[in-house]
Amino acid sequence: MRLLAVLIGLLACGPGFAAEPFGRASIEGAEEIVPGQQVHVVVDVFAPDFFTSPPQFPLFDVPDALVTLSNDRAQNLVQTIDGVQYSGIRRGYAVVPERAGSFPLPVIEIDLGFSSDGNSTKAIVKVALPSFDVSAFSHQAAMPFAARGLTMTESFDRDPASLKVGDALVRTVVVFAEDTQAMLIPPVAFGTTAGVARYEKPAVLADGVEQRGIGRSAEIGSTRTETVVYTASGTGRFPLPAISYPWFDMDGHVLSDATLPATDVVVAQAAVTERIQPELQGDVNAHASRARRGWLLALLLSAIDLAVAAFAWRRLPAIRTWVTRTRTQRRNSPRRRLGRIRKIIGVGDEVAVYRGLQDWSRNLGYRTASEWVEAEACPRLSAQVAILERRLFRSRDVQLDRAALASAITLPTADRRPAKSALPDLNPTECPL
């Protein structure tokens, strides 16, 4: 009896030993963090068997810090624990502290779905994020921007020393930095120049930019592109001041400066290109004769225009009907409809794609998209439509190949047109599409 009770207790406790999702977090490169540095917080989420819906990583707030979810693609992980295989997904956060001190990070809750005994189960995984400390260097106090491999380059749309009065000089300055985000790169201070008007365009920010230097491999970083337009209303030599751009080098832990040299803008007087030629007395009669011929030609053209307008006015209803019919036929031609459905597959959401396939099928004479797919007898088309219906009506555990679906749809031929149904139409008064 005691053995039987023990077995019953183990069976009753069996569900308690079932594998459950879990998460963990860590910080990459947490040594000697300074204000303005991008701290990488890595979060791994695991679920037994496989995910039925992807984990939803939430954003969170940290006082005196900027928090963003990394734009890098999620990494897939696989781990076996106590004989149970877990599928994992890794995402990263970028935390940029704005001051020195301690930064405790919160506990985040991640919603997900996973397979349990063949059924999709929802779960919430709580992950405690690690804390980190930020130290300040005395020479960095005035510049809380930290990065790696910062470079600054400039270019002009023309030679600054060969301008004319009224010309515009476009100056483009690009700041490239690694291990930071474009929105964190400070603006460039261009200074002022007497006698030259300056107009600054909005800065262009970009992340994930590849830059290849001379004699070294390509680096991935972020850029801030500043564009300035200079104009001068008078002649002279106008010096554009040198640019100094301070930043904190996280590799050497020193305050550095990226510089651009001063540039002289030389503006000369614009050349006179148009002159009024004197008119001799002997040319007055010839000029008057040309003027009379010009008036006669204008009157003749006006008469022709009036005749054409009168004819068009009489035929206006017929012309309008013909134009409307021609436009409709061109808009609903098979090639136009094929182009539209392929465009919907390429850029539309999955509901729009499914509706587009239904409209395409009805235009070909089929009652449903399934009937059209069956008549096509194309394995690639059947597979992608089945995946689309699975994602819409069952689960999103498989990925739709939009390129394969679009290429599988072709113009119908005579031997593939549906046979006319022996049954009468349900709505005989309704015009076919």
Side-chain angles (χ1 to χ4, degrees):
M1 293 296 294
R2 180 177 299 178
L3 178 59
L4 180 60
V6 171
L7 290 176
I8 294 175
L10 289 176
L11 291 175
C13 297
F17 295 100
E20 294 292 337
F22 68 93
R24 63 193 180 196
S26 61
I27 295 178
E28 292 182 347
E31 299 82 10
E32 300 185 28
I33 301 174
V34 296
Q37 177 178 341
Q38 191 169 237
V39 180
H40 300 280
V41 180
V42 178
V43 179
D44 299 336
V45 178
F46 291 90
D49 204 354
F50 59 90
F51 290 99
T52 57
S53 61
Q56 302 299 316
F57 292 82
L59 281 175
F60 53 88
D61 294 326
V62 176
D64 300 323
L66 174 67
V67 181
T68 57
L69 192 61
S70 176
N71 292 327
D72 297 337
R73 297 181 61 181
Q75 299 182 27
N76 295 324
L77 308 172
V78 176
Q79 185 172 350
T80 301
I81 302 175
D82 295 334
V84 179
Q85 180 172 305
Y86 289 81
S87 299
I89 294 180
R90 171 175 294 178
R91 289 296 302 271
Y93 292 92
V95 182
V96 182
E98 299 174 352
R99 59 166 177 81
S102 297
F103 283 82
L105 302 184
V107 176
I108 60 175
E109 296 183 351
I110 303 175
D111 296 330
L112 56 88
F114 70 101
S115 176
S116 177
D117 297 330
N119 298 318
S120 179
T121 303
K122 297 293 184 179
I124 298 178
V125 174
K126 295 184 178 181
V127 181
L129 302 182
S131 303
F132 61 89
D133 295 325
V134 178
S135 58
F137 292 87
S138 58
H139 52 272
Q140 197 218 1
M143 187 58 198
F145 171 63
R148 289 187 171 90
L150 186 143
T151 58
M152 184 169 58
T153 58
E154 70 173 348
S155 61
F156 295 91
D157 71 329
R158 64 184 67 193
D159 185 4
S162 60
L163 299 182
K164 305 296 182 182
V165 174
D167 288 346
L169 176 65
V170 180
R171 183 186 194 182
T172 303
V173 176
V174 180
V175 180
F176 173 86
E178 303 170 28
D179 201 11
T180 188
Q181 300 177 53
M183 64 180 178
L184 300 177
I185 302 178
V188 178
F190 289 93
T192 58
T193 302
V196 176
R198 185 187 74 199
Y199 167 70
E200 296 185 16
K201 296 183 179 181
V204 178
L205 308 179
D207 293 308
V209 179
E210 179 179 303
Q211 177 170 287
R212 186 180 300 274
I214 300 177
R216 63 187 182 93
S217 60
E219 302 292 344
I220 304 297
S222 302
T223 58
R224 180 187 182 95
T225 303
E226 303 265 12
T227 303
V228 182
V229 180
Y230 299 97
T231 58
S233 57
T235 61
R237 181 181 297 272
F238 306 95
L240 302 180
I243 295 177
S244 179
Y245 193 85
W247 64 287
F248 186 80
D249 188 354
M250 293 191 300
D251 290 329
H253 281 81
V254 294
L255 185 64
S256 301
D257 281 286
T259 59
L260 293 175
T263 304
D264 286 338
V265 175
V266 181
V267 182
Q269 184 65 42
V272 178
T273 57
E274 296 184 1
R275 295 182 178 179
I276 301 176
Q277 297 293 335
E279 187 177 275
L280 300 178
Q281 185 66 28
D283 296 335
V284 173
N285 293 333
H287 179 73
S289 178
R290 288 195 299 270
R292 284 194 297 271
R293 288 197 297 270
W295 278 106
L296 290 175
L297 180 60
L299 291 175
L300 178 60
L301 294 176
S302 299
I304 294 174
D305 291 340
L306 289 175
V308 172
F311 176 78
W313 179 260
R314 292 180 180 179
R315 304 290 298 175
L316 187 58
I319 293 175
R320 286 179 177 175
T321 302
W322 176 80
V323 170
T324 302
R325 183 171 61 252
T326 302
R327 287 179 177 176
T328 303
Q329 291 176 351
R330 293 179 61 185
R331 184 168 58 248
N332 294 328
S333 66
R335 292 189 178 276
R336 291 287 184 91
R337 287 191 284 109
L338 179 61
R340 286 198 295 270
I341 184 61
R342 286 180 173 176
K343 184 175 182 180
I344 293 173
I345 293 173
V347 301
D349 56 27
E350 293 175 347
V351 175
V353 172
Y354 192 73
R355 290 176 178 172
L357 292 177
Q358 296 284 5
D359 293 339
W360 171 264
S361 303
R362 286 193 291 268
N363 283 326
L364 294 180
Y366 297 96
R367 292 173 297 176
T368 63
S370 300
E371 182 178 316
W372 165 66
V373 171
E374 182 179 355
E376 289 291 310
C378 176
R380 181 174 54 176
L381 177 64
S382 301
Q384 295 305 320
V385 172
I387 291 174
L388 176 62
E389 293 176 343
R390 180 182 180 89
R391 290 177 62 86
L392 288 173
F393 308 119
R394 293 183 60 187
S395 65
R396 306 177 68 86
D397 56 343
V398 290
Q399 189 67 31
L400 175 66
D401 190 341
R402 292 175 178 259
L405 177 58
S407 62
I409 301 176
T410 58
L411 291 175
T413 58
D415 57 344
R416 288 190 299 167
R417 292 177 181 173
K420 183 174 181 60
S421 176
L423 297 176
D425 293 334
L426 294 179
N427 300 308
T429 59
E430 185 178 2
C431 294
L433 297 179

